[in-house]
């Protein structure tokens, strides 16, 4: 008589395997979402269009440039088609016209061997210099900071990309967390995988999606700059852009843990607004700081070492050549250490509140008590 063969009970997946399964689920649900695909496509097209338009604008044929010319050197601008010439008596009159804004530049007698000099207010007048038969010295009466417009655009872009990507993906993590809790699906999920694996999978999956989106933005920006011939800008932002991707990857993990832990404190989607406010403000602060203080070296230096602002502050400082070679390495170590500590704290809050239904759970209470059976 044969005895029935016993079948071993199925074993739960290891922590690492469970994390990867949850991450795969998060990635799949994100990339299949029409809203995510459409918003990403619109963002990429907008970035490419902006780069192409700026390139076309820079290549556009300029109109006539108003220029004052001292009568004694008027022959050097004879026949210049792109200059609207106004003759003045001497250098003082020419300088007065430039300062008053009546003309963009002035051509005045200068030192030998050329014998002419160009006066301008705050930047070199390329149209005037190129129209002359000689290449004279340019004297700026009120020099402006170098590349001020490009400085603002690049710092603005770093802050905006970080803020929009983190808030978008972080809000998705929060919404999924609360939805699973409200529908009780989380109880089924936790019967198969540990809470830490569920949280780690959410962070890992959404981090991969956000990093992929950021890498796509960087690739489109590089492609647009190459196609439009703006290689000089590409040279300036190449290394800062690479560091931005590295800092973004780690900084997103830090903030994603805060978004997930914050969402686990409530049981209804309607209540997420209040608990997510601190995380949203932490994400928005770097953007506002670089927009309003992009010319303040002290603020940028502090930003580059504060974990929540380092993903924007350090790449901006690298772009502005205000950071030594070792500073991004030190800032990265600080960011990694802070991310490890804050993520561990977020995991503790998540574990102790994700199964608690009803009213909002206080952070102090979640840290002080274990999950009810």
């Amino acid at each position: 008589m044969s005895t029935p063969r016993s079948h071993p009970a199925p074993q739960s997946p290891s922590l690492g395997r469970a994390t990867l399964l949850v991450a795969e689920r998060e990635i799949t649900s994100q990339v299949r979402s029409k809203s995510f695909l459409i918003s990403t496509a619109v963002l990429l097209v907008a970035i490419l269009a902006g780069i192409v338009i700026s390139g076309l604008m820079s290549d556009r044929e300029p109109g006539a440039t108003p220029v004052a010319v001292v009568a004694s050197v008027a022959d050097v601008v004879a026949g210049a088609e792109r200059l609207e010439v106004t003759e003045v008596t001497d250098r003082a009159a020419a300088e007065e016209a430039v300062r008053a804004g009546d003309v963009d530049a002035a051509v005045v007698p200068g030192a030998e061997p050329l014998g002419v000099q160009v006066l301008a207010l705050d930047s070199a007048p390329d149209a005037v210099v190129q129209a002359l038969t000689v290449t004279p010295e340019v004297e700026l009466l009120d020099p402006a900071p170098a590349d001020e417009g490009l400085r603002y655009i690049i710092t603005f872009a770093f802050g905006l990309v970080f803020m929009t990507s983190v808030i978008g993906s972080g809000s998705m993590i929060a919404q999924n967390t609360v939805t699973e809790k409200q529908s009780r699906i989380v109880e089924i999920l936790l019967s198969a995988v540990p809470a830490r694996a569920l949280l780690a999978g959410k962070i890992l999956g959404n981090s991969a999606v956000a990093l992929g989106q950021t890498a796509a933005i960087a690739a489109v920006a590089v492609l647009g700059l190459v196609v439009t011939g703006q290689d000089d800008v590409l040279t300036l932002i190449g290394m800062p852009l690479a560091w931005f991707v590295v800092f973004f990857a780690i900084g997103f993990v830090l903030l994603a843990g805060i978004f997930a832990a914050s969402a686990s404190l409530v049981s209804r989607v309607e209540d997420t607004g209040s608990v997510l406010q601190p995380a949203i403000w932490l994400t928005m602060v770097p953007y506002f700081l670089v927009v309003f203080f992009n010319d303040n070296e002290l603020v940028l230096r502090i930003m580059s070492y504060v974990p929540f602002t380092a993903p924007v502050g350090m790449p901006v400082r690298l772009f502005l050549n205000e950071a030594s070679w070792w500073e991004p390495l030190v800032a990265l170590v600080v960011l990694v250490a802070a991310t490890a500590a804050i993520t561990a704290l977020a995991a503790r809050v998540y574990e102790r509140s994700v199964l608690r239904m009803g009213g909002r759970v206080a952070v102090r209470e979640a840290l002080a008590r274990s999950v009810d059976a």
Side-chain angles (χ1 to χ4, degrees):
M1 183 176 177
S2 61
T3 58
R5 182 177 298 177
S6 61
H7 297 280
Q11 295 182 346
S12 300
S14 63
L15 182 64
R17 176 61 179 165
T19 299
L20 292 178
L21 288 173
V22 176
E24 182 180 358
R25 170 177 170 267
E26 292 289 324
I27 294 174
T28 302
S29 62
Q30 276 267 49
V31 299
R32 288 181 178 177
S33 169
K34 288 185 179 180
S35 60
F36 172 79
L37 295 176
I38 293 174
S39 62
T40 301
V42 170
L43 179 61
L44 295 179
V45 170
I47 290 173
L48 183 59
I51 293 174
V52 171
I53 291 173
S54 66
L56 294 176
M57 293 290 289
S58 63
D59 293 337
R60 189 176 59 181
E61 289 291 330
T65 302
V67 57
V69 180
V70 175
S72 60
V73 292
D75 58 321
V76 300
V77 298
E81 299 178 354
R82 298 180 182 175
L83 299 183
E84 182 182 330
V85 178
T86 300
E87 287 196 12
V88 293
T89 56
D90 53 22
R91 179 189 174 100
E95 183 173 331
E96 182 180 354
V98 172
R99 291 188 182 277
D102 298 332
V103 294
D104 290 350
V107 180
V108 300
E112 296 296 337
L114 299 179
V116 294
Q117 184 182 29
V118 173
L119 303 181
L121 187 62
D122 55 9
S123 61
D126 294 335
V128 176
V129 174
Q130 293 171 7
L132 301 181
T133 57
V134 294
T135 304
E137 175 190 359
V138 178
E139 179 182 341
L140 301 182
L141 304 177
D142 188 13
D147 298 321
E148 184 177 358
L150 182 62
R151 174 189 184 116
Y152 183 82
I153 291 173
I154 298 300
T155 54
F156 174 83
F158 278 140
L160 183 63
V161 170
F162 180 77
M163 181 181 69
T164 55
S165 297
V166 173
I167 289 180
S169 296
S171 298
M172 183 65 69
I173 294 175
Q175 181 178 347
N176 290 344
T177 299
V178 179
T179 300
E180 291 169 356
K181 186 174 179 179
Q182 185 175 355
S183 62
R184 303 276 185 168
I185 293 177
V186 69
E187 298 176 5
I188 301 175
L189 293 174
L190 291 179
S191 66
V193 298
R196 283 182 177 268
L198 183 58
L199 175 63
K202 286 181 178 295
I203 294 175
L204 179 61
N206 285 276
S207 296
V209 172
L211 184 59
Q213 188 180 45
T214 303
I217 292 173
V220 167
V222 171
L223 177 63
L225 292 172
V226 171
V227 170
T228 56
Q230 302 181 67
D231 298 335
D232 52 341
V233 178
L234 182 59
T235 302
L236 290 174
I237 69 171
M239 185 184 67
L241 190 60
W243 276 108
F244 175 73
V245 172
V246 174
F247 274 86
F248 176 91
I250 301 172
F252 181 87
V253 172
L254 183 152
L255 289 164
I258 296 177
F259 271 95
S262 300
S264 70
L265 298 173
V266 296
S267 303
R268 300 188 309 164
V269 176
E270 296 84 354
D271 298 331
T272 56
S274 59
V275 295
L276 292 182
Q277 279 301 314
I280 291 175
W281 276 110
L282 287 174
T283 307
M284 295 174 64
V285 162
Y287 168 76
F288 288 114
L289 286 178
V290 294
V291 167
F292 294 111
F293 298 99
N294 64 85
D295 58 349
N296 190 311
E297 187 175 350
L298 177 60
V299 172
L300 292 178
R301 183 182 296 113
I302 295 173
M303 282 182 62
S304 63
Y305 290 101
V306 176
F308 299 105
T309 58
V312 176
M314 184 53 74
V316 167
R317 289 188 65 213
L318 290 170
F319 166 70
L320 299 176
N321 290 321
E322 294 177 355
S324 302
W325 66 267
W326 52 268
E327 290 192 72
L329 300 176
V330 174
L332 192 62
V333 170
V334 174
L335 179 60
V336 169
T339 299
I342 293 175
T343 303
L345 190 64
R348 188 175 181 184
V349 172
Y350 182 87
E351 284 182 305
R352 298 185 174 192
S353 57
V354 73
L355 285 178
R356 299 185 62 179
M357 304 298 173
R360 174 177 173 176
V361 181
V363 175
R364 182 179 300 179
E365 185 180 358
L367 290 173
R369 297 179 55 183
S370 60
V371 177
D372 296 334

